[in-house]
Amino acid sequence: MDPHRAGVRAKCRSRLEQCWQNDKKKDFQESWVVSAPVRSTLGTDVMDFLSVPPPSSPHSSQLSPDEEKLLAKLEEQNRLLETDSKSLYSVNGVLRSPCSSKIFSFDEDSSTWGCVVANWDEWSKKKVKRLKEMIRKGIHPHFRPTVWQMLCNAHSLSVREQYSELLQKTCPCEKVIEKDLSRIFSRHQLFQGLHSSIQQPLFNVLKAYSVLDRDVGYSQGSAFIAGLLLMQMPEVEAFGVFLRLMQDFRLRELYRPRMVELGCCMFQLEGLIQEQLPELYSHFQTHAFNTSTFSSSWFLTVFLSCLPLTAASRVFDIFMCEGLEIVFRVGMAILQITQTELLKLDMEGMTQFLEKTAPQQMDRDPNRMIMTAYQIKYDSKRMKKLEKEYTAIKMKEMEEQEEIKKLHSENKLLRQRLDTLEKRYCEGAVWQLGQECMRIRLREAERQHVLKQMEIKMLLMEKSSTVPDEVSMQHLHEQLVSGKLREAEALTGLREIRHHIKDLEEKWQQKSSSSVSDRQGELMSLRFREVRAQVQLTQSRHQLLQLQTQDQLCSLHLKRITERMHSQHERLQDLTMQNQRLRNLLGQTTEEEQHKAPEDEEPEEDATAVRKLQDQIAQLQAQIRRLSRQKKATRLQHNDT
């Protein structure tokens, strides 16, 4: 400790002891109220001495010159601290609350609150009702920091060493805190007009708590509460109060990641609206206006993010004394006061009204808001019942979620098993297709061998000048029929394989999006395309061989017809020559023929034979022309293929 400050404290204590001994302590207390900065300067020893009840005295006397000198020094010290540009407590020799624009001086109200602070144990135990009434009317801004610490019992904490240790540790929420603070300081009215130097202490408080309580970490709503505390008191004391609020005032439950407590509070508030403001509740239901739209920030920030600072500070005073009950009361009061306006608006209009217009109305007359809040019927038993209803609903939802989660898990396992089976089935099907393709290729090789032998025989037949006999033709016909049957079987097998491939592709496309990786899908698609191409190639080869066989058969048939026509033509020439000779003989032996009837029948028979031959020749010529056209069409089709 600084020697000079220690000396000042010793002198002050000595002079004050003289005052008490001279029965002047009461006069001293009435004439001077110790401010927060001076309390910090004097230390706890002097303040403990001041809090001792004065001895009874039948009379009072004037202060001695030494006492007046001491008071002058203390007032001078107070004035210096109040005029300090870095101080958040006062400006220009008069007290100014950092959470209010009004200037306060020592008056009767400050004297009363000074007495409350000096005799806190008595007021907090024996005068609780009177203390609550005073807090509801508003704590004097000059004594607000001290009263807040006493209300949450934070003045008994010693967190300085713990706070320093917490700041030395790292926190995963640091970047999120910095980002939120930059946005909040630039936009929100709570921090407007404040020097940016408060931003670093606010970051430190939030970081320290997030390191201390890993389960809760950092919540955006806590920045408003910690910011308000830093406007009232130094950084370490603000952390102590914030720690108490989180532990003892349900804020920790509100800020938990799952926010079950917040959901319960909003459910309770909705129940109050339904019971006490039924018309407004029906209006909310008609427009699908959820209570959570506007009430979540009420509970998370205790109206600090919703109301102007003056009205919000009044609410926070009561919150420090009575807890979250005031949030329900003030929320209901706001809705009751603005009910007429809200009933005229739609969902978007109500949202804008509660965010902008309603807070300004509350700030114009905070007393009305507080008075209306305590006219709201708040039944603790009813709130407990609503809490049980909400708990039952959440338990049912949790059971349903567990059941759904269980079903999802079972479904996932079944899908995995199904995918495995489908993968195996698809791989087996592809293997079977490969085997079937191999068998088709073997049958195709056999057919090509048979066709090749037939081509060789046909070439030999073309080279020979004689037409094959009936036995050879019968053998060729049997081989042709056998080849046709094998070809028909192969085509049927190809059609079945193509149909099977199509079914597999459809099943594969249905499952490939969810159960198979991209590379497996591409590999299977390539395999399908390969098999399909092989089938198409085999079918094209069959068609080509069929056309070649038809062409060869047509050529052979045409050759046989040509040879038959040639032989018929030679026979016709022979018959013509014979007919000519017969006619010559007929002219020479006319008389003989008339006498010999049997001989007359022979020329007639020859003429009939000649006509038959001529008819056959005409038919053969027509057949030759038809076969020529068929051969030409077959060659054109073969060229197109």
Side-chain angles (χ1 to χ4, degrees), residues 479-496:
Q479 289 183 348
L480 180 61
V481 171
S482 177
K484 288 287 185 179
L485 290 175
R486 291 179 182 178
E487 183 179 0
E489 291 177 359
L491 291 175
T492 304
L494 287 173
R495 283 195 294 269
E496 291 177 355

Side-chain angles (χ1 to χ4, degrees), residues 580-591 593 600 603:
Q580 185 67 29
R581 287 195 299 270
L582 290 172
R583 287 181 179 178
N584 292 332
L585 293 173
L586 182 62
Q588 295 175 3
T589 59
T590 303
E591 293 178 357
E593 290 178 356
D600 294 339

